[in-house]
Amino acid sequence: MTSTRQAFGRQRAQIEARVAQIQNTLATSPESWRSCLEPARNLIHEADTSSFVLDPRPLEEQIRLISTLQSLAYQDPDSGGEVDISSWCVRQWATVLHNHPDNLDALRGLGHAWLLRAQASLARIHHAEGSSSTSFSSPGSVGRVMDTGGHNGELADSANYIEARDFLRPSMDHYRRAVEVADSQDALDGELLVHAAEAYMSFGNVSRPQSNAEFYRQALQYLQRAAQIPGYNLEAHLQRYLDENMRLFE
């Protein structure tokens, strides 16, 4: 029994060391992110063939592993990311959430996973239509914020719009729940609210004009709450968006 615990401890330490190496590369040499793909896939194989992701004790380690690999998977979100790695992350977040229904990290992780997955569809829409949207500057930053003028409605039935909505629905659902849980835990922060706003804004952008007002309204409410958090400042384009549009929904 003692030897088994020792072996498990060594395995956990090895996984943690590899996760730290990937985190360091992404932080110090983000342009070299592709060099982390093979180590990441090896990590997934090792985690899947061990009790690491099943044992309830190292929950913090599990969350750090999933978060790191999800960040790696979407270093180039407009391309669709590294699908095998990102899909594994979604499955792991779902497992954590199943075991811990109010886990804020898992709710945020799933909300962000689906938001990131939608970026490829949104990028195709952007390039096809020459929208005034702004591109993702990095995973974890705010993505596209389009004009609320929207499209003419006919495009809502096109493949890219349908695909984007399919990805954004679960993103909105998980972010809404994350905000509720964060509220109940007195753990609400500006970044969570901004990402939730992005999911709703993006969904409004790809919805029919006659039905998108509710999504823009919710996005603006999230941005307004973020702006009211002491010490948190919205990025300039988001503050401008809030200032220009909030009065439309008051």
Side-chain angles (χ1 to χ4, degrees):
M1 183 66 70
T2 300
S3 61
T4 300
R5 285 198 299 268
Q6 290 175 341
F8 181 68
R10 286 194 298 272
Q11 184 182 52
R12 284 176 56 187
Q14 290 170 357
I15 290 176
E16 278 293 285
R18 294 173 191 173
V19 170
Q21 288 176 347
I22 294 174
Q23 289 177 321
N24 183 63
T25 297
L26 296 182
T28 61
S29 304
E31 71 281 357
S32 303
W33 65 271
R34 289 182 177 83
S35 68
C36 297
L37 293 177
E38 183 176 353
R41 291 183 171 108
N42 290 338
L43 262 177
I44 288 173
H45 175 74
E46 186 168 345
D48 282 346
T49 55
S50 73
S51 57
F52 182 82
V53 297
L54 300 177
D55 193 291
R57 288 172 294 175
L59 181 59
E60 290 184 6
E61 289 94 330
Q62 291 181 43
I63 289 171
R64 187 156 47 248
L65 169 63
I66 303 166
S67 298
T68 300
L69 294 189
Q70 181 162 289
S71 177
L72 172 64
Y74 284 109
Q75 286 294 302
D76 183 14
D78 286 0
S79 71
E82 302 296 321
V83 177
D84 59 327
I85 297 176
S86 62
S87 296
W88 183 86
C89 292
V90 167
R91 292 194 299 273
Q92 300 311 310
W93 284 133
T95 298
V96 172
L97 194 60
H98 176 77
N99 294 328
H100 307 274
D102 290 333
N103 186 276
L104 184 55
D105 289 306
L107 288 166
R108 294 178 74 143
L110 281 167
H112 205 47
W114 289 107
L115 181 58
L116 288 165
R117 189 168 288 188
Q119 295 308 306
S121 305
L122 296 175
R124 290 193 294 270
I125 292 170
H126 167 67
H127 293 310
E129 299 172 24
S131 167
S132 61
S133 65
T134 56
S135 297
F136 245 81
S137 58
S138 67
S141 67
V142 172
R144 297 174 171 78
V145 180
M146 302 183 191
D147 294 335
T148 55
H151 48 84
N152 60 16
E154 296 178 0
L155 292 173
D157 292 326
S158 64
N160 286 329
Y161 279 76
I162 292 172
E163 182 178 78
R165 290 197 299 271
D166 285 345
F167 293 147
L168 290 167
R169 281 191 188 93
S171 179
M172 291 191 300
D173 289 344
H174 286 102
Y175 271 131
R176 175 186 53 77
R177 177 65 177 142
V179 170
E180 292 172 352
V181 169
D183 256 338
S184 70
Q185 298 177 355
D186 195 25
L188 194 61
D189 62 76
E191 182 181 89
L192 172 58
L193 288 164
V194 165
H195 282 142
E198 183 189 351
Y200 276 84
M201 254 189 288
S202 297
F203 195 87
N205 291 334
V206 295
S207 300
R208 292 185 177 278
Q210 60 268 31
S211 62
N212 62 12
E214 63 177 293
F215 305 110
Y216 290 130
R217 182 180 294 109
Q218 183 62 72
L220 288 164
Q221 289 173 354
Y222 283 144
L223 289 179
Q224 188 176 48
R225 291 191 67 184
Q228 293 170 346
I229 294 177
Y232 185 82
N233 296 312
L234 292 175
E235 293 183 24
H237 69 286
L238 288 177
Q239 186 63 59
R240 184 169 60 251
Y241 180 89
L242 177 62
D243 294 340
E244 292 175 353
N245 293 287
M246 193 65 206
R247 60 182 176 81
L248 299 176
F249 297 99
E250 291 177 344

